[in-house]
Amino acid sequence: MKIPNSWKKVQFGDVVSKINDKVSNREEWIFNRYIGGEHFDEGEIRVTKSAPIEGNEEVIGSAFHMRFKPGQVLYVTRNPRLRKGGMVNFEGVCSNVSFVMEANETKLLQSLLPFVIQTEDFVKHTCNNAHGSTNPFLNWKDIANYEFLLPPLVEQKKINEVLWGVENSIIKLEIYLQKLRSFQDKIITNLLKPKKGGKLTKFGEIIKLSKEKSQAPYGNLKYLGLEHIDSGVSICNKFSDANNVKSVTSVFKKGDILYGKLRPYLDKAVIASFDGICTTEILVINANDKTTNDFLMLHIRTKDFIDYNTRLGFGTKMPRTSVEIISNYEIYLPSISEQKILLNTTNKLNKLIADVNKNKASLKNLRNKLSNELLKGELRLD
């Protein structure tokens, strides 16, 4: 491809610096949030999730000593295919597995940096230059030698305006979704309240756990990992090719409930929209004849259920719930006919949330397409 006029080819390390703001002494920490690998969502421009330091001291290992500040960009160096990186808008600490980066703004706008690291060319470069097979990783030099086309600052500002225009539209939808989900949770919690004198039923009495497992080679099956499931979303259309999976997996069918037992506070549970295999960190659940999967999902989505599993989960660095814990969760179970009425009441709100999520996904696809084309000079803003 011909290089556009006034554009030039540069190496990533010539326009971006790795910031080593090391704060090993925890008594000097003046911030109250930390970011771990679990807080990054695949392919995002912003890192919006984090966790409080207080109460998680045992989870935060000695590797967590890299301070980041608002406006800086974080990039996870493990498993680059997961595309974990983005800009932060608060101060905190992350582990040394994540690079903290700043652009030299005489050459590259800092606000464009998160878009650069999510381009297809950057991801391809990092995957091809990663070391190791089981848990591939990158050193700074592997990223620093990435070559890409750099437009002049005048054109960067135009590109920046377009890309952040789309991203800001996504942010508005996210705020709207938060309000809808909060409203939904209040409605569902109220609808699911036990009737006076109503008998409580344990989850274990109304669910069936699939124990079907599979082993490599998997051929062309669809593989679902926890990284493919977005928090708080009941449908997942993302997956990867199972050819690269070597471990034992669980088998699931379309319509099954897939519940992520690792870090239950992340609220990762969906109803499968296709057949496939998944990590054993995901439980494959179905309702028995006393209820339906849709009704179970109403409970799984509630704050009470999430808090219950988070509170009783075990493990410090990798907290998880279990079948036993889930099975002991108690709910009021109305008749099937009453369950249908409750589901009809919530379906309109569910459809609205699904439509907003669909619009959000469309905007993300547009953002990604524009990022790749604008930052390669294939699409010009005259």
Side-chain angles (χ1 to χ4, degrees):
M1 176 185 167
K2 184 180 178 182
I3 298 177
N5 289 336
S6 67
W7 288 48
K8 58 183 179 180
K9 186 173 284 189
V10 298
Q11 286 198 332
F12 192 79
D14 291 335
V15 296
V16 178
S17 298
K18 175 174 170 279
I19 306 301
N20 295 309
D21 189 1
K22 193 173 181 179
V23 280
S24 299
N25 185 356
R26 299 196 176 192
E27 292 181 0
E28 297 177 1
W29 288 9
I30 57 174
F31 36 79
N32 55 22
R33 310 290 296 180
Y34 80 95
I35 289 178
E38 69 274 17
H39 297 123
F40 291 84
D41 289 325
E42 181 179 345
E44 291 297 345
I45 299 303
R46 296 164 290 116
V47 185
T48 58
K49 298 174 184 174
S50 63
I53 292 171
E54 186 176 357
N56 287 305
E57 289 83 0
E58 292 184 17
V59 178
I60 306 171
S62 59
F64 282 82
H65 54 243
M66 304 306 297
R67 174 165 43 196
F68 58 82
K69 296 178 180 178
Q72 291 179 327
V73 172
L74 307 186
Y75 178 75
V76 179
T77 60
R78 297 295 186 265
N79 292 307
R81 64 181 176 81
L82 297 181
R83 310 170 79 130
K84 290 188 172 185
M87 182 174 282
V88 291
N89 65 356
F90 58 94
E91 185 176 2
V93 68
C94 62
S95 80
N96 55 14
V97 168
S98 296
F99 289 157
V100 181
M101 303 185 296
E102 282 185 0
N104 177 346
E105 289 212 285
T106 64
K107 300 176 180 178
L108 171 67
L109 295 179
Q110 176 71 9
S111 51
L112 272 184
L113 180 54
F115 294 97
V116 172
I117 66 171
Q118 294 296 357
T119 58
E120 294 300 329
D121 285 348
F122 183 86
V123 175
K124 183 179 179 181
H125 171 88
T126 53
C127 289
N128 289 341
N129 287 274
H131 309 277
S133 54
T134 304
N135 190 24
F137 66 93
L138 294 158
N139 296 314
W140 174 248
K141 66 178 182 180
D142 303 316
I143 298 175
N145 64 19
Y146 167 63
E147 288 190 339
F148 67 105
L149 290 178
L150 184 70
L153 286 172
V154 172
E155 194 156 354
Q156 285 185 43
K157 289 175 182 177
K158 293 179 181 178
I159 294 171
N160 185 70
E161 186 177 350
V162 170
L163 295 181
W164 275 104
V166 179
E167 189 66 18
N168 286 330
S169 295
I170 294 172
I171 291 172
K172 289 178 182 178
L173 284 182
E174 288 175 346
I175 293 171
Y176 183 42
L177 277 170
Q178 286 176 355
K179 292 179 179 178
L180 284 176
R181 286 174 182 149
S182 177
F183 181 55
Q184 180 189 46
D185 190 60
K186 289 177 182 177
I187 288 177
I188 291 174
T189 300
N190 187 56
L191 289 173
L192 297 179
K193 278 183 180 178
K195 290 183 178 179
K196 191 173 182 180
K199 180 186 174 184
L200 294 179
T201 301
K202 289 186 176 182
F203 244 51
E205 298 173 26
I206 56 175
I207 64 171
K208 298 179 292 184
L209 182 71
S210 172
K211 296 182 179 180
E212 186 179 356
K213 297 290 188 285
S214 185
Q215 293 182 323
Y218 295 110
N220 296 321
L221 291 175
K222 295 176 180 178
Y223 171 76
L224 193 69
L226 286 171
E227 66 272 15
H228 297 120
I229 302 176
D230 294 328
S231 297
V233 177
S234 297
I235 296 176
C236 176
N237 294 313
K238 293 187 285 187
F239 58 88
S240 60
D241 191 335
N243 278 321
N244 297 321
V245 180
K246 307 299 181 187
S247 56
V248 174
T249 60
S250 296
V251 177
F252 66 86
K253 302 293 183 185
K254 182 178 179 180
D256 291 347
I257 292 175
L258 306 179
Y259 177 77
K261 63 181 180 179
L262 182 64
R263 298 188 178 98
Y265 56 83
L266 292 179
D267 185 21
K268 294 198 171 191
V270 296
I271 292 182
S273 56
F274 51 84
D275 296 348
I277 56 173
C278 61
T279 170
T280 53
E281 292 291 358
I282 293 175
L283 299 176
V284 182
I285 298 171
N286 277 288
N288 62 19
D289 57 4
K290 295 179 182 178
T291 185
T292 64
N293 282 0
D294 287 332
F295 188 75
L296 286 178
M297 280 297 289
L298 285 184
H299 281 282
I300 289 171
R301 279 273 97 90
T302 60
K303 186 175 183 298
D304 283 347
F305 185 85
I306 295 167
D307 290 347
Y308 165 84
N309 284 282
T310 301
R311 185 176 68 255
L312 296 182
F314 54 93
T316 52
K317 292 187 178 181
M318 302 282 277
R320 53 173 51 80
T321 187
S322 66
V323 175
E324 291 73 24
I325 292 172
I326 293 171
S327 295
N328 284 319
Y329 182 72
E330 293 184 324
I331 66 168
Y332 168 66
L333 187 68
S335 65
I336 290 290
S337 59
E338 289 178 300
Q339 290 178 39
K340 288 180 179 178
I341 294 172
L342 291 176
L343 286 169
N344 286 335
T345 304
T346 60
N347 277 345
K348 287 184 179 179
L349 191 53
N350 288 338
K351 186 180 184 305
L352 177 58
I353 290 174
D355 288 343
V356 176
N357 272 315
K358 188 175 180 180
N359 290 337
K360 180 182 168 185
S362 296
L363 281 174
K364 285 185 177 181
N365 289 335
L366 174 62
R367 177 199 66 197
N368 296 341
K369 185 175 187 296
L370 288 173
S371 294
N372 284 297
E373 293 180 359
L374 288 170
L375 292 172
K376 286 178 72 173
E378 293 176 350
L379 178 65
R380 303 295 299 278
L381 299 172
D382 297 323

